[in-house]
Amino acid sequence: MRRGFAAVALVCLVALAGCSMLPGTSDGGAPGVEDGELTDSEALLDAHVEELTGSGYTHELNVSQRVSTGENRTESTRRQRTSVAPDAAEYQFQLINDGRASSRFLVWGNETVEYQSIEAGGSREFRRSDPTPPESLAGATLLESHLTAPYEVEEIEERDGPNIIHLRATGRPSDASAFPNEAADISNYEAELVIDERGRILAFGAQADYQLNGEPAEYRLDFEVTATSDPGVERPGWVDDLES
């Protein structure tokens, strides 16, 4: 997997007035989708990154894992909100990890540099690094492993703008990196993918059960995108302090 914090909603989009829901007997004309199936996930991800990067966007990511040990149940979560200006000229995101150890990342970057504020263990530190690549910002590096599952078109929403295409996984991913390294006996994998004809991934959701170090665990990932030319990116004051 490539670098990037922006790592990826079993989401039902609200049907627009006047749209129709059609059975998944066509591909809807989206990149990488042919004969009612996702046949080229790389083509879809390339279109997703290109289209969103050009327009600007926001996305929200929620990942949770619950592990049961006897009568005890522990949960770890990852929540992230990302805003990216058109052409990735400027971006920011907040990433919060909660569980046995908690941390918060505040990140702002542009085409040449990235600044990070990292809070963990009661302390705060700042870092400067190279910019996060557009594919990582758009969630492609997280989604690529899940898109190795077989997907079939389930329905198509016809709209005045690009049609919306719903696909559902009919099996689990062939790429093992879709799950934690320690995961075993993976079962009950379910995933839904919502895209438009231009190739933008508007929503993705996945869930699964597995064994983690011999204990039963549940996993869920939700990812939702909004394309917008005004994502509200603001340069934090602490960035100015670091550059002064």
Side-chain angles (χ1 to χ4, degrees), residues 16-20 157-164 197-198 200:
L16 300 179
C19 75
S20 61
E157 298 179 41
E158 291 189 340
R159 310 191 311 171
D160 291 337
N163 290 343
I164 303 298
E197 290 177 315
R198 293 163 59 180
R200 295 179 297 186

Side-chain angles (χ1 to χ4, degrees), residues 31-32 38-46 144 147-148:
L38 177 61
T39 58
D40 189 342
S41 60
E42 184 175 345
L44 176 62
L45 288 171
D46 286 346
E144 61 184 352
L147 296 191
T148 62

Side-chain angles (χ1 to χ4, degrees), residues 93-162:
F93 60 85
Q94 175 176 260
L95 168 63
I96 299 174
N97 295 309
D98 284 320
R100 292 182 178 176
S102 297
S103 59
R104 183 172 76 142
F105 294 77
L106 301 176
V107 177
W108 177 90
N110 57 27
E111 295 172 300
T112 60
V113 67
E114 178 177 288
Y115 291 98
Q116 306 160 6
S117 167
I118 305 169
E119 301 175 23
S123 64
R124 185 181 186 185
E125 65 175 290
F126 300 94
R127 296 177 185 172
R128 173 176 174 154
S129 69
D130 294 332
T132 297
E135 59 267 25
S136 294
L137 288 173
T141 51
L142 175 65
L143 294 169
E144 61 184 352
S145 61
H146 285 277
L147 296 191
T148 62
Y151 286 85
E152 292 183 353
V153 174
E154 191 171 60
E155 57 193 18
I156 299 173
E157 298 179 41
E158 291 189 340
R159 310 191 311 171
D160 291 337

